[in-house]
Amino acid sequence: MLLHDSDRWLHQGLKLLEAEIIRQVLPDGGHASRNPSMQLAIFADLIALQETLAAAHILVPGWIPETIDKMAPLLRALRSEEHTSELQSRVDISY
């Protein structure tokens, strides 16, 4: 990073983001709004941030992969549930 005081700004930004993640991502890994779109957006942003920091050879704070790991199971369940509901709506199982 080439900006003056960039390390300080990065550290401060990551601390602010961590506080916001703690506020928005619940202990079960779900988003506080329970909106699957928000869940997916934050998950994707955290993965992109993790990859960007790693590519820049900047130590990835532990809370980032921990949050990703915490969010993933619920996303898998939502995806599975959505897929199941979609299939059920397409299949006529009336007798």
Side-chain angles (χ1 to χ4, degrees), residues 8-89:
R8 183 174 63 88
W9 287 109
L10 177 63
H11 179 72
Q12 184 177 358
L14 288 172
K15 283 183 70 167
L16 290 169
L17 180 59
E18 180 183 18
E20 196 60 28
I21 291 296
I22 289 169
R23 189 178 75 75
Q24 290 191 32
V25 178
L26 301 173
D28 68 358
H31 186 265
S33 70
R34 293 301 191 196
N35 180 332
S37 296
M38 288 299 299
Q39 174 87 7
L40 182 58
I42 290 174
F43 183 77
D45 287 345
L46 287 173
I47 290 173
L49 176 59
Q50 178 175 260
E51 290 173 350
T52 301
L53 292 174
H57 304 289
I58 297 171
L59 180 65
V60 177
W63 61 267
I64 294 175
E66 289 170 8
T67 304
I68 291 169
D69 290 346
K70 184 167 64 168
M71 294 179 81
L74 184 55
L75 278 170
R76 275 192 293 276
L78 289 171
R79 181 173 168 230
S80 176
E81 186 177 298
E82 181 179 296
H83 182 67
T84 301
S85 295
E86 182 181 321
L87 287 175
Q88 287 172 344
S89 70

